[in-house]
Amino acid sequence: MSYPYQIKSYDEYKEAYQKSIDDPEAFWGDIAEHFRWHKKWDKVLNWNFKEPKIEWFAGGKLNITENCLDRHLEKLADKPAIIWEPNNPEERTRIVTYERLHKRVCQFAQVLKNNGVKKGDRVCIYMGMVPELAYATLACARIGAIHSVIFGGFSAQSIADRLEDAQAEFIVTCDGAYRGGKDIPLKSVIDDALIGNKTVKRVIVYTRTRTPVSMIKGRDVWWEDEMQAVTEGAEALKSDGFGEVEVMDAEDPLFILYTSGSTGKPKGVVHTVGGYMVWTNYSFVNVFNYQPGQIHFCTADIGWITGHSYIIYGPLSAGATSVMFEGVPTWPDAGRFWDIIDKYKIDILYTAPTAIRSLMGFGLDPLKGKDLSSLKVLGTVGEPINEEAWHWYDEHIGKKKCPIVDTWWQTETGGVLISNLAGVTPAKPSWATLPLPGVQPILVDENGKEVTEKDEEGNYKGNLCIKAPWPGILRTTYGDHERCRTNYFATYENLYFTGDGALKNDDGFYRITGRVDDVLNVSGHRIGTAEVENAINMHAGVVESAVVGYPHDIKGQGIYAYVIFNGRHFDDELTRKDILATVSRIIGPIAKPDKIQFVSGLPKTRSGKIMRRILRKVAEGETDKLGDTSTLLDPGVVDEIVKGKL
Ligand code: 6R9
């Protein structure tokens, strides 16, 4: 593969950027020519942010899996598409070539069809990080079913809500998953999620841990049995369309991915086939400066957007080798990533600041004897990276020879929007730097006016918005377009609002400072404060709660909960554990508060609004900067809260 649209110098970047703004249709039309289409588009772009209505490559017909698989078969059949590293380093590695991946995807696509899955049906995928997760995802895309992957750390209740929202009829899962020293019983979580569910007709279960599962007659089937039936019948099936793709409209939905916002209920972000394909491929090739033959290791879970875009669709559409790791960075020891890099001679490492900070904590011992000299490019994603972590990454992992790309983007953006391009455009520690071609950021104040005055440090500071669509932008939130409009397009007229705050310097570089809405970013995971509050409030003894974030050395942000409790109370510690158990059950362990402070009241205005600013300051330990508390209904509660601070 070659990528005629790969940017090779800073000047070329400037030229491409200018062209993408002056004539976006010509710019993206040229790039889209390099993919496999059954029919070219009638119009590159139609859009307005008012409704919003965004269409890229309208009238175009394609299948994304042909672009990720079939078109590589002629030259790359024997090249590894996926290298799978098991949780336990003693277990056998699996290397899946493009040819084999193609075959498995076609086979599982047939399994889905045999089980009644049709174009447009929603298939929920709840699996550990095994190659079969990639097969299932791509098989859905191949037959035009809409996949909705749910991260393994979500509880049965969270899954139930998502199944209901998506009206999903099919589930693909595993008996269990290995993660570090733990076995997670995925199928039994699914069984709990299905109590009372009325839509799901079929559950396909892949065997990974051979943990006991209850297979329900008429509903549950084994992956292995279903696959075998297709293999045996493959010849017969060939004449019956085995391996054929569903030809999709460019604007048909590809997947739904749920993500947290400032309201209590997660939103099902919808991406469509054509634009998402172009954006993940274009951003992959350019941000990482990917060279044919390189091995790319993205440490994210496929349950998050980073895994969708930079383990599956971006790398595979570029014909790259993508490493998929089942385990965690610190098990059996903190040298796990470094072993993997050494073992497979990884070229590109893409991970999260929280992982870097946690590994920094183990010192340099885990790096001893590990050959990291294959590394060419390092990347980070998910949260702001602090300078200390950036320098450690640069010095000890990249040996000061690898550019670091700080990639800012979101579930809603499909792929990277602001980042330096590795080795091509300048880097600046803790700055995401420049927008990719096609991306037009703008910083606005609360009233939506562009910020034109610098702050005392000489930067522009404001809320980060984007002025026009890029191909990977979300199209809607599943089943509720109005929600999409109010969440992203109504805060400021004719702008997409990201929910993030940012700085911009005189070079036009952006530095993302974090969320300005009620969304927390804990270890790179997005969690809504309202969601956590709702979960805490489910506990029978809780009267009311308020949740804020506070700076956490490793996680970036920790969760601080203030709780008014009047239930049966043994001691604070036990009650805390009960509340944590409740949050785990309602959302999942990833949303458990780090600190719970019991209070007798919350600071409220006379109109009954909780003054989160004050709670945030207390949680941050800045009790001397509480500001004006005179408008509070009962200023006395603040003293109590300050005294009881954890
Ligand atoms: C890809 C992903 C999105 C939120 C986003 C922002 C934060 C992501 C960042 C970053 C600073 C970066 N974020 N990348 N903040 N620098 N390089 O993480 O998607 O899970 O939807 O989270 O993550 O706050 O708004 P998602």
Side-chain angles (χ1 to χ4, degrees):
M1 292 250 347
S2 73
Y3 317 99
Y5 44 86
Q6 188 166 46
I7 298 168
K8 297 187 189 65
S9 67
Y10 197 9
D11 283 340
E12 268 184 47
Y13 161 78
K14 289 178 194 157
E15 207 181 297
Y17 189 81
Q18 199 53 47
K19 186 173 177 211
S20 75
I21 306 308
D22 294 342
D23 193 350
E25 296 206 41
F27 184 82
W28 292 109
D30 283 352
I31 290 166
E33 290 286 346
H34 299 283
F35 295 79
R36 189 182 280 189
W37 299 82
H38 285 251
K39 175 183 168 287
K40 294 275 166 68
W41 48 94
D42 302 322
K43 179 97 171 79
V44 174
L45 174 63
N46 293 315
W47 71 286
N48 74 68
F49 274 175
K50 215 171 163 51
E51 297 175 56
K53 183 177 163 100
I54 301 152
E55 290 177 340
W56 281 95
F57 314 111
K61 304 264 186 202
L62 76 161
N63 187 287
I64 195 170
T65 71
E66 280 187 316
N67 284 279
C68 291
L69 304 170
D70 306 58
R71 69 166 170 156
H72 304 320
L73 292 182
E74 200 185 314
K75 294 208 177 95
L76 306 175
D78 297 330
K79 183 179 164 172
I82 294 175
I83 294 179
W84 178 74
E85 170 70 15
N87 180 57
N88 183 343
E90 319 249 290
E91 201 187 322
R92 190 175 58 90
T93 296
R94 289 168 64 188
I95 295 181
V96 187
T97 62
Y98 270 95
E99 185 173 24
R100 179 167 286 259
L101 180 60
H102 175 260
K103 200 166 150 198
R104 290 282 172 264
V105 170
C106 291
Q107 206 180 341
F108 195 66
Q110 190 62 43
V111 166
L112 291 173
K113 281 196 205 166
N114 291 351
N115 280 280
V117 183
K118 295 183 301 299
K119 179 182 176 188
D121 288 347
R122 276 79 52 219
V123 178
C124 160
I125 302 177
Y126 185 68
M127 299 173 88
M129 285 283 284
V130 286
E132 285 69 16
L133 164 55
Y135 306 167
T137 307
L138 289 162
C140 286
R142 195 152 184 100
I143 65 167
I146 304 171
H147 58 76
S148 176
V149 184
I150 301 180
F151 175 63
F154 282 112
S155 70
Q157 182 63 54
S158 291
I159 299 167
D161 294 345
R162 286 159 171 77
L163 290 172
E164 164 80 25
D165 188 81
Q167 292 287 295
E169 290 176 319
F170 304 92
I171 296 178
V172 186
T173 189
C174 297
D175 50 355
Y178 295 125
R179 265 180 81 77
K182 290 192 210 126
D183 298 358
I184 303 158
L186 299 182
K187 171 63 165 61
S188 103
V189 177
I190 289 290
D191 289 336
D192 288 346
L194 287 177
I195 296 170
N197 175 287
K198 299 219 168 47
T199 55
V200 173
K201 297 194 279 216
R202 181 72 81 239
V203 182
I204 302 175
V205 186
Y206 174 72
T207 312
R208 173 63 184 126
T209 56
R210 205 48 196 102
T211 200
V213 291
S214 72
M215 296 292 282
I216 302 299
K217 195 177 289 166
R219 189 193 72 185
D220 302 351
V221 294
W222 290 108
W223 170 292
E224 294 77 4
D225 291 345
E226 298 297 299
M227 284 292 259
Q228 191 153 11
V230 173
T231 314
E232 284 168 356
E235 279 312 308
L237 285 161
K238 238 180 210 155
S239 54
D240 196 21
F242 181 76
E244 261 178 26
V245 299
E246 184 77 34
V247 177
M248 307 288 284
D249 284 334
E251 281 299 334
D252 277 335
L254 173 64
F255 65 84
I256 307 171
L257 186 58
Y258 284 87
T259 188
S260 295
S262 24
T263 54
K265 205 173 142 240
K267 305 177 282 259
V269 168
V270 175
H271 284 287
T272 56
V273 179
Y276 178 80
M277 172 184 75
V278 169
W279 190 252
T280 49
N281 177 280
Y282 182 81
S283 55
F284 173 73
V285 164
N286 281 299
V287 169
F288 300 104
N289 193 14
Y290 169 76
Q291 302 300 319
Q294 289 188 336
I295 301 183
H296 173 78
F297 178 24
C298 167
T299 69
D301 191 289
I302 291 174
W304 308 110
I305 191 68
T306 305
H308 281 61
S309 302
Y310 299 110
I311 296 177
I312 299 184
Y313 291 109
L316 298 182
S317 68
T321 298
S322 185
V323 175
M324 201 174 159
F325 174 40
E326 184 182 35
V328 297
T330 49
W331 191 87
D333 60 55
R336 203 70 175 90
F337 280 180
W338 323 131
D339 283 327
I340 296 173
I341 292 165
D342 192 344
K343 182 168 171 190
Y344 302 112
K345 306 296 168 221
I346 305 277
D347 296 278
I348 306 168
L349 172 66
Y350 191 30
T351 193
T354 190
I356 299 169
R357 286 190 298 262
S358 113
L359 292 171
M360 266 168 78
F362 291 89
L364 298 177
D365 270 0
L367 281 158
K368 282 208 182 104
K370 313 287 160 78
D371 179 7
L372 305 185
S373 62
S374 58
L375 286 172
K376 315 248 171 358
V377 172
L378 304 176
T380 78
V381 58
E383 51 182 318
I385 181 162
N386 48 311
E387 292 201 30
E388 197 192 351
W390 195 99
H391 287 294
W392 190 86
Y393 201 30
D394 183 37
E395 197 173 324
H396 298 293
I397 309 306
K399 318 285 184 200
K400 298 211 165 202
K401 285 193 304 228
C402 302
I404 299 179
V405 289
D406 179 353
T407 66
W408 172 83
W409 58 296
Q410 313 178 294
T411 304
E412 294 86 344
T413 71
V416 177
L417 291 200
I418 303 182
S419 171
N420 48 318
L421 310 181
V424 169
T425 65
K428 185 173 162 74
S430 86
W431 289 67
T433 73
L434 295 166
L436 265 65
V439 178
Q440 301 185 52
I442 175 174
L443 297 181
V444 301
D445 63 19
E446 282 88 81
N447 306 316
K449 272 197 42 208
E450 180 160 13
V451 176
T452 50
E453 307 255 309
K454 292 182 187 170
D455 67 4
E456 57 281 5
E457 273 148 43
N459 298 312
Y460 302 96
K461 183 176 188 209
N463 293 342
L464 178 62
C465 294
I466 317 282
K467 283 194 265 191
W470 60 97
I473 189 173
L474 86 160
R475 302 299 194 269
T476 189
T477 46
Y478 192 79
D480 193 350
H481 193 63
E482 177 56 14
R483 190 149 179 237
C484 172
R485 192 186 69 79
T486 50
N487 261 298
Y488 306 106
F489 299 94
T491 317
Y492 307 114
E493 214 181 329
N494 287 324
L495 296 176
Y496 164 79
F497 177 41
T498 65
D500 279 315
L503 304 175
K504 182 182 170 180
N505 72 10
D506 282 331
D507 298 324
F509 288 10
Y510 289 87
R511 176 186 196 151
I512 313 302
T513 48
R515 303 288 303 198
V516 292
D517 53 8
D518 290 321
V519 172
L520 305 179
N521 193 328
V522 181
S523 302
H525 299 157
R526 259 167 84 167
I527 299 170
T529 52
E531 247 178 289
V532 183
E533 287 165 8
N534 290 348
I536 294 174
N537 296 349
M538 294 289 282
H539 187 291
V542 172
V543 179
E544 197 177 6
S545 64
V547 166
V548 296
Y550 71 96
H552 187 288
D553 284 347
I554 289 173
K555 298 178 178 184
Q557 263 189 318
I559 304 180
Y560 197 117
Y562 299 90
V563 175
I564 307 176
F565 189 89
N566 77 349
R568 211 155 103 85
H569 189 76
F570 299 93
D571 62 51
D572 282 4
E573 243 353 88
L574 274 176
T575 305
R576 272 194 192 103
K577 284 188 182 150
D578 287 348
I579 291 174
L580 294 182
T582 312
V583 174
S584 267
R585 181 157 293 273
I586 303 295
I587 306 177
I590 57 171
K592 283 196 289 190
D594 299 274
K595 294 183 179 178
I596 297 176
Q597 180 181 346
F598 294 105
V599 296
S600 65
L602 292 167
K604 286 190 179 169
T605 60
R606 291 199 180 82
S607 59
K609 247 185 103 173
I610 297 175
M611 299 262 294
R612 285 167 188 284
R613 175 178 55 82
I614 293 175
L615 295 176
R616 228 174 272 135
K617 286 284 173 213
V618 175
E620 285 166 4
E622 302 199 324
T623 46
D624 51 335
K625 295 187 191 133
L626 296 183
D628 183 14
T629 55
S630 62
T631 56
L632 288 176
L633 188 61
D634 174 11
V637 297
V638 176
D639 296 335
E640 181 211 311
I641 286 174
V642 170
K643 274 200 207 99
K645 181 192 165 343
L646 300 171

